[in-house]
Amino acid sequence: MSIPSRFSVAIHILTILEMGRGASSEEIARSVGTNSAIIRLLLGKLKKAGFIHARRGIKGSSLAKPSREINLLDIYNATEKEVALFLLHENPNPNCPIGKNIQNTLSGILDEAQKAMEDKLSKYNLSDVSSEIRQRIESKKKGFSKKQA
């Protein structure tokens, strides 16, 4: 089981915009490695959540607020929070002692796990992501220039 990639793609999109690379959905799609229709769908979700300004027919979206004010939990909620992270299987056998009790037993544990993940995501914001990427880019540039010397 995994969280669909909409979440990480949305972070990718917002990071492109935060790093000053205003781009069309086609250009963003090339960076992400996906179809531009998926990018447009996510841009719509990000706009609805108030993270970006996007206008039809005009190239490039922009952040609607500073990246430090957009935390990863907000992005998760805007793109993935349609259902609970963990879904319990339906129709366990009520005549089986395990089947009768499994859902009630697991629901509390899984709710705690989801809450822990959400708490962790709320501690990071978009500027943390872009900062890390900037550091990695600079580190590679320094390593590349040393190899040339």
Side-chain angles (χ1 to χ4, degrees):
M1 177 181 356
S2 62
I3 295 173
S5 64
R6 289 184 304 259
F7 176 53
S8 63
V9 171
I11 295 170
H12 191 142
I13 292 167
L14 291 168
T15 302
I16 288 171
L17 300 178
E18 194 277 336
M19 294 181 73
R21 291 172 165 77
S24 68
S25 57
E26 289 78 18
E27 292 166 329
I28 294 171
R30 281 194 296 277
S31 176
V32 172
T34 193
N35 185 298
S36 60
I38 292 169
I39 300 302
R40 286 189 291 275
L41 172 83
L42 286 170
L43 285 170
K45 288 180 180 255
L46 296 171
K47 180 179 179 179
K48 183 177 179 184
F51 300 142
I52 65 169
H53 298 295
R55 294 178 303 226
R56 253 183 125 74
I58 297 175
K59 180 180 173 179
S61 301
S62 60
L63 292 182
K65 53 181 155 180
S67 61
R68 68 184 173 280
E69 293 178 18
I70 302 172
N71 75 45
L72 298 189
L73 179 60
D74 294 336
I75 300 168
Y76 172 76
N77 287 333
T79 58
E80 301 291 349
K81 196 69 186 240
E82 293 149 8
V83 293
L85 179 60
F86 299 102
L87 299 177
L88 295 171
H89 60 288
E90 296 180 14
N91 306 317
N93 184 345
N95 297 318
C96 169
I98 296 169
K100 183 190 318 187
N101 293 292
I102 193 72
Q103 289 183 326
N104 287 337
T105 302
L106 281 179
S107 66
I109 295 167
L110 299 179
D111 287 348
E112 275 185 52
Q114 180 160 346
K115 175 85 169 94
M117 181 204 71
E118 291 175 355
D119 288 346
K120 191 68 168 181
L121 289 177
S122 72
K123 293 180 182 353
Y124 294 93
N125 56 47
L126 184 61
S127 66
D128 295 324
V129 174
S130 58
S131 214
E132 173 80 16
I133 290 172
R134 282 185 180 95
Q135 287 176 357
R136 289 174 181 265
I137 291 169
E138 285 304 311
S139 170
K140 294 227 187 241
K141 281 182 186 177
K142 288 177 185 173
F144 182 69
S145 64
K146 286 180 184 177
K147 288 178 186 176
Q148 284 185 332

